[in-house]
Amino acid sequence: IETVLPKFLAFIDDSVLVAHNTEFDLSFLKHHTYKALNQEIKNLSICTVRVSRVLLPHLENHKLHTVAAYFAIKIENRHRAMGDAELTLHTWLKMLELLKEKNVNTLTDLNKYTESMVPF
């Protein structure tokens, strides 16, 4: 981890991170980054679960495979790092299309759009 993590941190730099259930993923990443390197990750992040709950409230649930199925995205290599990352990417791109239709074009717009959501 001491070899790979610095490369990952250089790769993400100050990018906005997108994940499905960001709270879980980032808590794990932040814990191990601090433990291994004594560094903090301070990147802004977008949680596609949170966005899905506001954007697609009619879905039965907001699990990644459910949201992907809604968008007719082919699901491959589920519960594998690359498969889930690719599925999250394609799901996020579909969400972006819907968000643009609602004039949600910036991170500030997105925060305003999702802030009225009841906490989960």
Side-chain angles (χ1 to χ4, degrees):
I1 196 165
E2 291 83 5
T3 303
V4 175
L5 200 49
K7 292 177 184 178
F8 176 74
L9 295 175
F11 172 74
I12 64 171
D13 192 31
D14 63 350
S15 299
V16 176
L17 306 177
V18 177
H20 202 75
N21 196 2
T22 306
E23 191 173 317
F24 173 80
D25 291 338
L26 280 183
S27 67
F28 179 81
L29 189 56
K30 286 178 179 184
H31 169 78
H32 288 285
T33 301
Y34 191 79
K35 185 177 178 183
L37 304 175
N38 200 29
Q39 279 184 261
E40 290 186 38
I41 294 179
K42 297 181 180 180
N43 298 59
L44 297 175
S45 63
I46 297 171
C47 180
T48 55
V49 171
R50 184 176 181 88
V51 175
S52 174
R53 288 185 173 163
V54 176
L55 192 60
L56 307 168
H58 58 280
L59 293 183
E60 176 183 338
N61 62 59
H62 298 275
K63 295 177 182 179
L64 182 57
H65 67 273
T66 303
V67 179
Y70 172 80
F71 289 119
I73 298 168
K74 186 176 180 183
I75 300 171
E76 295 180 3
N77 299 317
R78 191 72 179 96
H79 298 295
R80 298 287 181 253
M82 187 58 76
D84 283 359
E86 289 175 348
L87 193 56
T88 301
L89 165 66
H90 294 293
T91 300
W92 174 239
L93 292 175
K94 292 291 187 180
M95 287 180 179
L96 279 176
E97 292 174 16
L98 294 179
L99 290 165
K100 286 178 185 178
E101 291 173 10
K102 297 178 180 300
N103 280 333
V104 176
N105 298 302
T106 66
L107 190 54
T108 300
D109 293 343
L110 182 61
N111 286 333
K112 287 178 184 174
Y113 182 74
T114 60
E115 73 184 2
S116 62
M117 190 189 90
V118 176
F120 56 93

